Amino acid sequence: MKQALIVIDMQNGFLNPESPLCIRGARATVPACARVISACRQSGIPVVFVNRAYRADGSDVEHTRCQVWAKGGKPLTPGSTGPLSVENPPEFGRREGDYEIIKPRYSAFFQTSLDLLLRRLGVDTVILTGTTTPNCIRTTCYDAISLDYRVVVLEDCCSSNTEEIQRANMLDMGNVGAEICASAPFLDRLGGQLVIRQATAADVDRCAEIEAACFPPEQAASWERMRGRIAAYPEHILLGEVDGTVVGFVMGPVVDAPAIADKMFADPGCHRPAGAYQSVFSLAVHPDFQRRGYGRLLLDELIGQALREGREAVILTSREKRLAYYQSFGFEKQEVQSAHGGVPWFAMTLWL
């Protein structure tokens, strides 16, 4: 079975109450959708954003929607920003490897290249999320079944204007042969995959253990320093879990300067929430879980978070033997920045 995640019409023009096309239940599904999108990326499941965009003159707007669209500020015009825009929520963190298809009507398959894309990717199962359930989700579900795809609908990642409409349409899609399930059991089925979350105070012991296992004593952050970092900037300490076990982390404060000074490692107060630079103090995966790509997933997630937060760059220091690894992300090698722990560390910058 080869799956693909289809995210339909999760755009400001359908999510924001200021838009005349807003679906009342849509905004509440964003967190669940974001979790599923992240998990699918980590599992290698293709993520396809199927969006709507209307010409500025309204010549391609459905005739049943023309009046509302014109009087309501002409939402979903190409390149638009703000509450009526074509933009997806920042929580989704669009990635270079994601796909996007613009559809002209309800179904993601109607007059689009979606079927061709899925067959080229070898996909036989589509996972449907998005809005609105009675229109775009349902028509896409029926077209997918007609095209011989297996269909899974994640009900808490879909939305309608009322609970009654939501229940009735889920029942109909289930009756026609789609699998209807919540996102939690779907994520459980992925099994053994890396789940990324922010750190809490309860993670100090495990983070210190991983740090000590990955770095020599003269380079590793102590338990006390780890506790200080988690207290100061937990939202910038991302942990990777596999089946409930923390296997690694990436961490670093947001700072004002475009370079990391040695004194910062001992000073959690260097964190500046409005700073321009996301630093990386440590990227570590416990030796028992290395060589599985977890470090790359963690750093990718921190880079994506920095993009969403509008930072100018991600900065770090690297030993010479790791330069090629970071250069594969796009980091540029700078001069020797430090001799921390008696080893030369090169400054590296990834401009965003």
Side-chain angles (χ1 to χ4, degrees):
M1 179 176 69
K2 177 69 180 293
Q3 304 176 95
L5 176 67
I6 315 298
V7 185
I8 301 175
D9 287 354
M10 292 297 285
Q11 303 165 263
N12 283 348
F14 293 114
L15 300 175
N16 196 295
E18 295 181 37
S19 172
L21 305 183
C22 178
I23 305 303
R24 286 197 292 274
R27 181 67 216 181
T29 67
V30 168
C33 288
R35 287 192 293 271
V36 169
I37 290 168
S38 178
C40 285
R41 288 184 183 130
Q42 293 166 28
S43 301
I45 295 173
V47 177
V48 184
F49 288 90
V50 181
N51 290 329
R52 186 70 68 93
Y54 293 125
R55 297 190 186 102
D57 64 1
S59 58
D60 58 351
V61 179
E62 300 94 324
H63 71 86
T64 55
R65 182 175 275 171
C66 280
Q67 189 172 7
V68 171
W69 178 83
K71 290 183 177 180
K74 300 182 178 180
L76 299 169
T77 54
S80 56
T81 60
L84 307 185
S85 74
V86 294
E87 295 173 304
N88 298 116
E91 292 93 332
F92 293 175
R94 291 284 295 275
R95 299 290 179 82
E96 185 177 348
D98 297 337
Y99 299 92
E100 181 179 29
I101 287 176
I102 303 300
K103 65 183 177 68
R105 291 294 183 263
Y106 293 143
S107 172
F109 289 99
F110 183 78
Q111 293 188 4
T112 75
S113 60
L114 180 60
D115 183 46
L116 174 61
L117 171 65
L118 297 179
R119 296 192 189 281
R120 286 287 180 89
L121 294 174
V123 169
D124 57 22
T125 301
V126 292
I127 306 152
L128 301 186
T129 65
T131 197
T132 168
T133 301
N135 298 335
C136 303
I137 304 300
R138 180 168 168 164
T139 55
T140 300
C141 169
Y142 283 23
D143 282 353
I145 291 172
S146 297
L147 291 166
D148 289 329
Y149 291 98
R150 178 173 174 264
V151 178
V152 179
V153 182
L154 303 185
E155 56 184 334
D156 58 326
C157 293
C158 300
S159 54
S160 303
N161 276 317
T162 70
E163 286 298 324
E164 182 180 10
I165 292 172
Q166 182 79 352
R167 284 193 298 270
N169 281 275
M170 288 295 169
L171 179 62
D172 280 350
M173 286 187 287
N175 286 340
V176 82
E179 177 187 349
I180 312 298
C181 73
S183 61
F186 168 76
L187 293 175
D188 287 343
R189 286 206 302 263
L190 291 181
Q193 302 299 322
L194 192 74
V195 176
I196 299 176
R197 64 171 176 84
Q198 294 179 0
T200 70
D203 297 309
V204 174
D205 289 346
R206 179 59 174 168
C207 286
E209 178 185 356
I210 293 172
E211 180 86 353
C214 293
F215 299 97
E218 64 272 16
Q219 296 174 14
S222 66
W223 185 93
E224 290 77 12
R225 284 189 183 180
M226 194 66 69
R227 180 179 63 176
R229 293 176 184 181
I230 292 176
Y233 44 87
E235 67 277 16
H236 299 281
I237 300 176
L238 304 182
L239 308 185
E241 286 186 333
V242 176
D243 296 332
T245 298
V246 175
V247 301
F249 58 75
V250 60
M251 64 174 65
V254 176
V255 296
D256 293 325
I260 299 172
D262 282 352
K263 63 182 180 180
M264 292 180 178
F265 289 98
D267 178 20
C270 68
H271 177 59
R272 300 287 187 269
Y277 305 97
Q278 171 66 60
S279 71
V280 180
F281 276 12
S282 183
L283 171 62
V285 175
H286 192 280
D288 291 345
F289 296 91
Q290 291 178 1
R291 301 186 182 278
R292 305 184 193 183
Y294 294 154
R296 182 169 292 276
L297 291 171
L298 285 162
L299 185 53
D300 272 340
E301 186 64 26
L302 188 68
I303 293 168
Q305 179 174 302
L307 276 167
R308 295 191 296 273
E309 293 175 351
R311 312 299 177 189
E312 292 183 18
V314 179
I315 58 175
L316 56 82
T317 58
S318 171
R319 293 169 289 179
E320 187 168 12
K321 66 180 183 180
R322 298 287 287 169
L323 290 175
Y325 176 77
Y326 291 117
Q327 286 170 334
S328 72
F329 288 86
F331 283 87
E332 299 173 4
K333 174 187 170 185
Q334 313 293 336
E335 70 281 355
V336 173
Q337 183 71 32
S338 168
H340 176 64
V343 177
W345 295 78
F346 293 85
M348 302 196 79
T349 303
L350 174 65
W351 297 101
L352 302 177

